[in-house]
Amino acid sequence: MHMANLDGLRLHYRIDGPKDGTPVVFANSLGTDFRLWDQILPLLPQGLRILRFDKRGHGLSDCPKGPYSMGQLISDTEKLMDHTGFKDAIFVGLSIGGMIAQGLATKRLDLVRAVVLSNTGAKIGTREMWAERIDAVNAGGLAAVVDPTMQRWFSAPFHKTDQFHAWRNMFLNCPAEGWTGCGAAIAGTDFYSTTASLRLPALGIAGTEDGSTPPDLVRETTDLIPGSDTKVIRGAGHLPCVEKPEEYAAILTEFLKAQGV
Ligand SMILES: O=C(O)CC1=CCC(=O)O1
């Protein structure tokens, strides 16, 4: 187990793959830890150097008092990549992780050579929507929002599986302050103009059943970057790497290969 001490904030991370492999960084969504990527990693090409991490307030990382800003989440990621020697990486971000990808590529193009914007947007929801959810969590913990969240995360058939309960439990075990802290960061983020200035290879990935970031939002965001493409996975909700790992890994592999992996 690895913890990076980044100016006093300890982040839990894991590196897999050979030292000379193509660097790939995975940033996960609100209310999940880096196990989000467990199912797809064995399906990707061999020889990648993979960095995964739990952002602040999530998983085994520290949970400082919120609210957090998107700038802090981007800076944490930047520091972690500097700490671990990851640069010129293909950055795969899902949901809030995709917002971090957009912000990091804008700020530190030396760290990011290509982005995968999975189930994300340049802006996700409205300030009012996030304020309502944060109020609900402050009053009743994550249990107060778990059911509608699971509706957005997963398609109806997945709710009947045993695996569904593992993801529901992961969500319920997320520190409430970590969730509200990151929710506030999303509420304050609008990357439409900065993402439109990005010039790098970009792929969008969406799920037809995604109740958080529907395909139109993912496409609209990815289309801001000239030359990008968006793939839509049928029958998957907000976390297609969990619901449809084979399809997700195949789409990612095609993009990685196009980047020379
Ligand atoms: O709770 C949701 O709707 C899912 C979500 C939104 C942003 C994120 O990272 O996850």
Side-chain angles (χ1 to χ4, degrees), residues 29-30 94-96 124 130 133 149 152-153 186 212 238:
S29 57
L30 186 63
L94 194 149
S95 201
I96 188 174
I124 301 178
W130 286 105
R133 290 183 190 173
T149 301
R152 295 191 295 272
W153 276 16
I186 298 170
S212 303
H238 190 54

Side-chain angles (χ1 to χ4, degrees), residues 159-198:
H159 284 240
K160 298 196 177 74
T161 65
D162 289 333
Q163 224 202 96
F164 166 78
H165 295 275
W167 296 97
R168 191 176 189 278
N169 290 340
M170 183 187 285
F171 179 79
L172 288 170
N173 287 326
C174 179
E177 186 142 25
W179 190 95
T180 56
C182 287
I186 298 170
T189 299
D190 179 342
F191 278 153
Y192 273 102
S193 54
T194 49
T195 295
S197 71
L198 288 175

Side-chain angles (χ1 to χ4, degrees), residues 68-210:
Y68 314 143
S69 67
M70 188 56 66
Q72 284 175 312
L73 300 178
I74 292 165
S75 165
D76 294 347
T77 310
E78 185 183 358
K79 286 182 192 167
L80 179 65
M81 288 181 71
D82 285 337
H83 177 85
T84 52
F86 272 70
K87 53 179 189 285
D88 198 29
I90 299 164
F91 198 104
V92 184
L94 194 149
S95 201
I96 188 174
M99 290 182 136
I100 293 170
Q102 294 169 64
L104 189 68
T106 303
K107 188 178 178 192
R108 289 282 306 272
L109 207 48
D110 61 313
L111 296 183
V112 183
R113 79 155 85 146
V115 284
V116 178
L117 304 179
S118 177
N119 306 80
T120 190
K123 181 176 186 311
I124 301 178
T126 60
R127 277 188 187 275
E128 296 69 32
M129 185 196 92
W130 286 105
E132 255 176 49
R133 290 183 190 173
I134 289 167
D135 286 349
V137 172
N138 283 336
L142 286 177
V145 297
V146 66
D147 290 333
T149 301
M150 292 303 114
Q151 296 296 332
R152 295 191 295 272
W153 276 16
F154 298 117
S155 70
F158 193 80
H159 284 240
K160 298 196 177 74
T161 65
D162 289 333
Q163 224 202 96
F164 166 78
H165 295 275
W167 296 97
R168 191 176 189 278
N169 290 340
M170 183 187 285
F171 179 79
L172 288 170
N173 287 326
C174 179
E177 186 142 25
W179 190 95
T180 56
C182 287
I186 298 170
T189 299
D190 179 342
F191 278 153
Y192 273 102
S193 54
T194 49
T195 295
S197 71
L198 288 175
R199 296 292 176 270
L200 80 176
L203 170 72
I205 305 179
T208 54
E209 311 306 309
D210 186 343

Side-chain angles (χ1 to χ4, degrees), residues 21-24 45 48 88-92 112-117 199-204 225-229 231 251-261:
T22 303
V24 185
L48 302 172
D88 198 29
I90 299 164
F91 198 104
V92 184
V112 183
R113 79 155 85 146
V115 284
V116 178
L117 304 179
R199 296 292 176 270
L200 80 176
L203 170 72
I225 306 173
S228 63
D229 186 21
K231 306 278 191 207
I251 290 169
L252 198 48
T253 297
E254 193 187 342
F255 183 71
L256 291 169
K257 293 214 161 129
Q259 308 317 311
V261 168

